[in-house]
Amino acid sequence: MPRRYEQLKTASLDEPKRESTRAPNRITSLRLGLSFILILVLASLTVIQIRPSTSKIIFGGSETLADYDEDIKICASNIPPPARPPAPINPWASLTIDEMVEIQNWLLSTQMNLNLTRGDTARPSDNSIYMIQTYYPPKADVLEYFSSLDPRDAPARFARVTIHHGGAVEPVIRDYLVGPLPVTPATEMTHLANIYHTETLPYNARGYDALDWNLPEIHTKIAAPLMDAYKASGLPNGTIVAGGAGPFGFDGSVQALLVELAKRHARILVASTESLAICRLFDTAESFMDAFHNGTLKRVPPVTKQEEDLSWSTRERIGALRDLDNLPGPRSVSFAGLRFRVDYDLQYVSWMGWGLYLGFDRDMGLNLWDIRFRGERIIYELKPQEALAQYTGNDPYKSSTALLDSYFGMGQSVRDLLPGYDCPDEAIYLPATTFSATGMMSRKRAICIFEQDSGRPISRHLGFEQSEFGAVKGYQLVIRSVATVGNYDYLFEYIFHVDGTIEVRVSASGYLLSGFWDDEQGAYGSKIWNTTLGSLHDHVINFKVLKIYGGIQNSLLKTSLSQEVTTQPWFDDDWGEEVIQQKITREYIDNEDEALLRFPANFQGGYTIVNTNETNKWGIPRGYAIHPGYSPVHNTVVGSKRLLKNANWARYHLAVSRRKDTEPSSSSMWNFNLPGAPPVDFHNFFDGENITQQDLVTWINVGMHHLPASEDVPNTRTNTAASSFFLTPFNYFDYDVSIESANAILLQPPKKPGDPFSYDDYNVRPAHCVPQPPAAFEYYPEQVYDLDGKPAPPSTVEEMRKASELYLRIKFEL
C-alpha cells in the first residue's frame, strides 16, 4: 500500500529544550557537516529520479517527511493541444509585418503619385503614412463564408491606412481602404469616409508620435526661453519636465497644448513634487519669464530634505517582512495537462464548449470574434471601443484634461506581460504587432491565456434526498492583455465560465496623474504626500457587443421590479387581506431613441437581448442578459466643452442600436481633439429606427469614479480599481448547463446512521505527478522593426520612455 505524507512530530512549545551535555568537537562537527551535504545531494537525486523511499523536505524551518509512490511521474508539459477552428482562416487577423511593409511600399511607389515622405523622417508639413492596420470585413461577408466554408466565399482582406496630408494646400487627414490584399494589380485605394459624421478630418486633430514631442521647436520655442528660471532653480539639467493637457482643440480650427512645468524624479512618471508656478496660465514662455523677473510669480515654498526623498513613489519594497512572506505563494498547476486548445497561426482558442477567434488593433488592442458555446454563435464581435479619463482640479492643467485613449493607441501601448506576475506561470502567450509612423512593434507576450480555479463552486447544495447533494467546480478560462497608456495600466480581461457566462472586466493600476497640493485643491482630490495632489477623475471604458444571441433578429427586453399592494382572500384576520410584495413588469423597447439606458435605482430590473422567434422548452424567448458586475458607472460630468459631443456614449450604462456597416465604432481616434465636431457622434446612431427583431448592437460601459487616497501610492490597486459586466444566459437553455461538467461530485446520504456519505466523482480525480519547474523569469523589451521590416537596433531606455510617455513627460534638456 502506498505510503502517505506525514507531518513530523515536533516538540511541544511548552516542552523545555534539552541542553547538550557536551559540546561537539571539530571532528564531530565535520562529520555532521559532511553528512548534511550528503543528505542534500541524495535528496536532489531523489527529486530528479522520483524513486525515493523517504525524502525530508524543510519549509520555513519546519520539517515534513514525504513518501512518494514508486510509479510517480513528471507532469505533462504545459503545451496546449491544437484547436479545431470552425473555419481555416481568421477574417479578423492582424496584418503581419510583411503585409504592412508591402502596403507601405506600394503607397510610396511612383505609380501612386502620393508625394509621401517616410514616417521616420517626415515633419508635420509633409505627407506621410501615420497608421496601417486591418480593416475588419463586413459581417454579411463573414457569415456567408462561415456558412459555406468555400474558399471562394472568403471575405477579401483590406487595410485601413491613415495619411497625414500635411503638404497639401489645405492640410487634412484622410483614412483609406487599401485592398484586396495581398497587393496585386487589382488592389485599390479608396477614401474611407462613410464611417464618419464629418466630411473632413481637420489636420489639427492629427495623430502624434514620439518624434513630434522631440522636434527642435519644442526646445527652441519653449525650453530655451526659460533658461534663466531653470538656472535659478539650481536643478540638474534634465530635471524639469513638461506635461501636456488635452484635448488640443475644440473643432479643429486651432491646436494648442497647455503645458505644465514641474520638477520630476527620473524614476516616476507623473508624481509631481514641485511646480514652478501654482494655478496660473501663461500663454507664452516670454510671459512666464516676465512674471519670473518682476516678482509677480507665485513661488512654491522651499523644498525640505524630506520632500527631496522621492523613494515613496517608487516600486521598491519597503517595510518589515511579513510572516512567511519569504516563501513563494501557491501557484496553479494543471496536473493532467492544459484543458484548453490553441491554434497559434489563426489565434483561435477553445475550452469547455467555448470557441473564439482573437483580433488585435492599434486603437484599442485585444478583441474577440465569433464566440460560440456548445456549437452556437453567442457573440459575433466583442470589442473595446474607447477609454475616457476626465479630470478635475483648481489649476489649468487638471481642469483641462479629458483624455480619450484610442487617440494614443491602447493596442500600440501594449507591452509584453510579466510571466508569473501579470499571468500565472503556466499561461500561454500570443503575440501582437502594430504599425507606427516610425516603425513596427512586435510583442511576443501581448496576450495571455490560462485556466483557473475560481476557488468556489459555480453551484452547490447540501441536501438529504436522492441526488440533491453536490457541487460543480467553478473553473474559468481567462484571456488577458495589459495596455500602459502613459501613466495608467489597464488590464483587459475576458473570463469564460462553464455555465455559458462571459465576464468582461477592466482593472487599473499605474501612477496617478497628480498635481501640486495646496489647500484650495481639497475639493478636487486628496493630499497623498507633502506637496502632491491625487486628482479626482472618472474612468469610463466602452465595449461593443454585436449579436448577443442567435440569428440576425433580436429584441431588447426591459424587466422592472416594483412594489405592489394587493389583497388576497386566503389570509386570515390576523394578517389581513392586504399584501405588499414585488411584481415583475416586462416590456420590449422598440425604438432606438428609448434605448439610451441606465440601470434602475437599486438595480431593480435589467435588460436582456432575446429572439422572440425562438423559445426554450418552456415557451420563453431565449436570450442573454446584460448583468452589471463590479462598479457599473457612467461619466459624472455632462456638458463640458472638452467632452461636448465626442464621448456621448459615456453618459449611459448601456445603449442598444441597429447594426450598420457605417457605424463600426462608438468613437474614433480623431474624436479626442474634436469635442465640438467629432467625426463619430454616438448620438447620431440613434435616429428613431425600430429595434424589434433587428440586427442589434449593444454598447456597454464599465468604469469607476476614482477618488484617490494615500493607498494609491505608489500605484493604484487592481482589486478596487476594477469594473465589469456579465453576459449571462437568460432562459437561453432549458437548465443550468454547468451541471454537464464532469468536474463535479454527487453525494448520497448514508443508509446506516453514522456511516460516511457515498459519492460519485465521475472518475475525475486529482492527478498525481510532479509539476514541471516554472521557467526562470526573464523580460526583454519589445522587438522594434524599421519601416523596411528589418529588426531595428535595440532602443535605449530613454527612447523607450519617450515612446511610451509621449507628451505627458517631455524632458527639457537645455
Side-chain angles (χ1 to χ4, degrees):
M1 182 174 178
R3 300 170 66 185
R4 301 297 181 188
Y5 291 88
E6 294 180 354
Q7 184 72 34
L8 277 178
K9 295 180 180 179
T10 56
S12 168
L13 294 176
D14 299 329
E15 184 178 334
K17 295 182 179 178
R18 296 178 180 177
E19 298 292 336
S20 176
T21 57
R22 61 176 181 171
N25 57 31
R26 293 183 64 186
I27 295 176
T28 304
S29 299
L30 181 60
R31 287 175 178 171
L32 290 173
L34 291 173
S35 299
F36 182 69
I37 293 172
L38 181 60
I39 290 172
L40 286 179
V41 172
L42 290 174
S44 300
L45 292 174
T46 292
V47 172
I48 294 172
Q49 297 179 10
I50 317 300
R51 292 198 178 277
S53 57
T54 300
S55 178
K56 182 180 288 186
I57 306 172
I58 299 176
F59 291 112
S62 64
E63 299 180 351
T64 298
L65 190 64
D67 290 332
Y68 294 102
D69 296 349
E70 288 296 322
D71 60 349
I72 194 169
K73 295 180 174 61
I74 296 289
C75 295
S77 62
N78 292 326
I79 299 176
R84 296 182 288 270
I89 67 165
N90 180 348
W92 310 280
S94 301
L95 295 173
T96 66
I97 289 177
D98 289 343
E99 287 176 316
M100 294 176 186
V101 171
E102 180 185 47
I103 294 167
Q104 175 196 240
N105 291 343
W106 182 70
L107 294 171
L108 289 169
S109 65
T110 55
Q111 73 183 74
M112 296 302 294
N113 194 31
L114 295 174
N115 189 28
L116 293 176
T117 302
R118 277 178 48 132
D120 50 4
T121 59
R123 295 177 60 85
S125 57
D126 295 326
N127 300 329
S128 63
I129 301 170
Y130 179 72
M131 182 177 63
I132 301 174
Q133 69 177 21
T134 295
Y135 189 77
Y136 301 118
K139 180 182 177 183
D141 293 353
V142 174
L143 294 183
E144 180 181 0
Y145 168 65
F146 273 70
S147 176
S148 71
L149 295 182
D150 187 332
R152 293 171 296 183
D153 292 334
R157 192 158 163 79
F158 281 81
R160 170 190 163 198
V161 176
T162 300
I163 295 181
H164 287 174
H165 292 278
V169 176
E170 294 185 7
V172 70
I173 307 164
R174 285 200 177 94
D175 276 358
Y176 297 93
L177 277 184
V178 173
L181 301 175
V183 174
T184 67
T187 300
E188 297 179 340
M189 182 176 78
T190 58
H191 187 197
L192 179 61
N194 64 345
I195 62 173
Y196 297 126
H197 298 138
T198 55
E199 292 186 6
T200 60
L201 299 173
Y203 197 61
N204 284 331
R206 67 188 180 277
Y208 277 88
D209 192 85
L211 288 179
D212 294 291
W213 308 115
N214 294 280
L215 290 171
E217 290 83 353
I218 294 286
H219 294 266
T220 58
K221 294 185 178 181
I222 299 178
L226 303 176
M227 178 70 75
D228 289 346
Y230 208 151
K231 291 178 178 178
S233 70
L235 297 173
N237 191 23
T239 304
I240 295 295
V241 294
F248 308 148
F250 179 67
D251 57 8
S253 57
V254 296
Q255 185 179 73
L257 176 64
L258 179 65
V259 175
E260 176 190 56
L261 301 176
K263 172 188 173 186
R264 306 288 174 96
H265 192 276
R267 287 181 293 180
I268 59 178
L269 281 172
V270 289
S272 291
T273 58
E274 180 184 6
S275 295
L276 294 178
I278 303 174
C279 301
R280 183 169 175 184
L281 181 64
F282 295 90
D283 294 328
T284 64
E286 289 72 23
S287 62
F288 173 85
M289 290 307 303
D290 288 342
F292 179 84
H293 288 301
N294 64 29
T296 60
L297 181 69
K298 184 179 179 181
R299 306 294 292 271
V300 173
V303 177
T304 66
K305 288 291 185 182
Q306 181 185 8
E307 291 167 343
E308 288 179 353
D309 179 12
L310 297 177
S311 60
W312 61 275
S313 60
T314 73
R315 291 198 50 82
E316 295 179 7
R317 200 195 73 79
I318 60 174
L321 187 66
R322 298 182 183 182
D323 184 37
L324 299 181
D325 195 28
N326 60 307
L327 302 178
R331 65 185 178 98
S332 177
V333 176
S334 298
F335 287 93
L338 297 185
R339 302 198 308 164
F340 58 90
R341 298 176 181 270
V342 177
D343 186 314
Y344 288 92
D345 293 332
L346 297 185
Q347 294 214 326
Y348 181 85
V349 181
S350 63
W351 173 80
M352 296 294 138
W354 288 103
L356 61 139
Y357 291 89
L358 302 183
F360 194 94
D361 60 37
R362 174 261 177 209
D363 290 356
M364 292 300 295
L366 175 64
N367 43 77
L368 278 55
W369 299 85
D370 194 49
I371 303 173
R372 303 187 189 195
F373 183 58
R374 298 167 86 236
E376 281 195 271
R377 181 179 293 115
I378 305 297
I379 295 176
Y380 177 81
E381 175 184 358
L382 176 52
K383 186 175 184 295
Q385 302 293 296
E386 187 61 272
L388 160 70
Q390 183 173 15
Y391 286 80
T392 184
N394 191 39
D395 65 78
Y397 184 77
K398 300 303 176 300
S399 62
S400 300
T401 299
L403 305 173
L404 296 179
D405 283 332
S406 72
Y407 173 79
F408 307 99
M410 277 282 198
Q412 192 164 288
S413 300
V414 165
R415 298 295 185 267
D416 271 16
L417 296 158
L418 296 171
Y421 296 88
D422 287 331
C423 307
D425 282 310
E426 67 174 20
I428 298 301
Y429 296 90
L430 293 177
T433 301
T434 54
F435 178 94
S436 75
T438 55
M440 290 153 281
M441 188 183 299
S442 179
R443 311 150 193 86
K444 293 182 179 179
R445 295 170 171 165
I447 304 162
C448 74
I449 306 165
F450 58 92
E451 185 181 11
Q452 68 180 10
D453 185 344
S454 68
R456 60 180 179 178
I458 195 165
S459 68
R460 57 99 61 212
H461 181 63
L462 187 152
F464 302 97
E465 297 295 333
Q466 185 73 19
S467 300
E468 70 170 1
F469 185 8
V472 178
K473 289 192 175 184
Y475 290 113
Q476 303 167 348
L477 184 77
V478 181
I479 303 176
R480 179 182 294 162
S481 186
V482 179
T484 302
V485 187
N487 57 305
Y488 260 117
D489 297 61
Y490 294 90
L491 283 74
F492 287 86
E493 296 177 281
Y494 302 90
I495 305 170
F496 295 85
H497 300 251
V498 294
D499 69 328
T501 293
I502 303 172
E503 180 180 356
V504 179
R505 184 190 303 170
V506 180
S507 309
S509 189
Y511 284 95
L512 292 170
L513 187 63
S514 60
F516 186 83
W517 169 265
D518 64 18
D519 292 339
E520 295 179 357
Q521 296 278 26
Y524 307 103
S526 301
K527 185 177 183 180
I528 57 175
W529 203 251
N530 294 319
T531 58
T532 305
L533 164 76
S535 300
L536 171 67
H537 58 283
D538 274 1
H539 290 283
V540 188
I541 298 97
N542 186 241
F543 285 84
K544 177 184 181 182
V545 185
L546 176 54
K547 185 188 164 306
I548 302 186
Y549 157 66
I552 297 298
Q553 290 78 34
N554 285 271
S555 296
L556 174 61
L557 174 64
K558 177 184 178 181
T559 303
S560 303
L561 307 179
S562 59
Q563 178 177 300
E564 72 167 2
V565 179
T566 186
T567 58
Q568 300 291 359
W570 48 76
F571 291 111
D572 58 28
D573 291 338
D574 285 345
W575 296 104
E577 293 187 350
E578 185 177 273
V579 177
I580 302 176
Q581 61 186 4
Q582 283 194 96
K583 65 178 296 185
I584 303 171
T585 301
R586 299 181 181 90
E587 59 180 320
Y588 286 97
I589 297 175
D590 58 10
N591 188 292
E592 276 184 328
D593 293 345
E594 299 170 0
L596 295 161
L597 307 167
R598 295 177 180 173
F599 289 119
N602 199 34
F603 296 104
Q604 291 179 208
Y607 302 94
T608 307
I609 303 297
V610 303
N611 186 339
T612 58
N613 293 331
E614 293 191 16
T615 62
N616 65 8
K617 184 177 180 179
W618 320 114
I620 302 175
R622 303 173 71 201
Y624 258 71
I626 303 156
H627 198 287
Y630 305 116
S631 182
V633 306
H634 52 78
N635 192 28
T636 306
V637 178
V638 174
S640 165
K641 287 192 69 175
R642 287 173 177 80
L643 290 177
L644 188 63
K645 298 179 181 178
N646 61 345
N648 285 329
W649 51 266
R651 302 185 182 198
Y652 315 99
H653 285 123
L654 71 154
V656 179
S657 64
R658 282 181 68 165
R659 188 201 69 83
K660 296 184 179 71
D661 287 334
T662 56
E663 297 173 352
S665 178
S666 61
S667 186
S668 80
M669 65 171 292
W670 318 115
N671 275 29
F672 173 53
N673 289 321
L674 296 169
V680 178
D681 185 340
F682 185 67
H683 277 168
N684 287 353
F685 291 8
F686 299 83
D687 50 8
E689 291 185 293
N690 181 273
I691 56 173
T692 300
Q693 290 300 98
Q694 300 293 331
D695 192 3
L696 302 183
V697 182
T698 306
W699 314 89
I700 308 175
N701 289 326
V702 297
M704 66 172 180
H705 307 306
H706 194 170
L707 173 58
S710 56
E711 287 79 11
D712 283 296
V713 174
N715 290 152
T716 296
R717 295 149 294 141
T718 61
N719 57 348
T720 55
S723 184
S724 64
F725 65 88
F726 293 83
L727 304 171
T728 187
F730 198 79
N731 297 312
Y732 186 85
F733 303 110
D734 299 334
Y735 57 89
D736 169 21
V737 295
S738 70
I739 206 72
E740 297 169 348
S741 174
N743 277 259
I745 193 166
L746 181 66
L747 288 82
Q748 304 296 352
K751 295 180 179 179
K752 179 182 178 182
D755 284 353
F757 281 69
S758 60
Y759 66 89
D760 184 357
D761 59 9
Y762 305 103
N763 292 317
V764 180
R765 293 168 187 144
H768 187 45
C769 57
V770 175
Q772 297 277 348
F777 180 84
E778 62 178 15
Y779 191 84
Y780 291 94
E782 64 278 352
Q783 177 63 62
V784 178
Y785 296 83
D786 62 24
L787 291 177
D788 294 318
K790 299 177 181 178
S795 301
T796 66
V797 172
E798 184 64 16
E799 288 169 341
M800 289 189 287
R801 183 196 67 77
K802 289 178 179 179
S804 174
E805 298 169 13
L806 297 176
Y807 75 90
L808 285 175
R809 192 167 179 259
I810 307 170
K811 199 172 185 179
F812 280 178
E813 296 178 327
L814 302 179

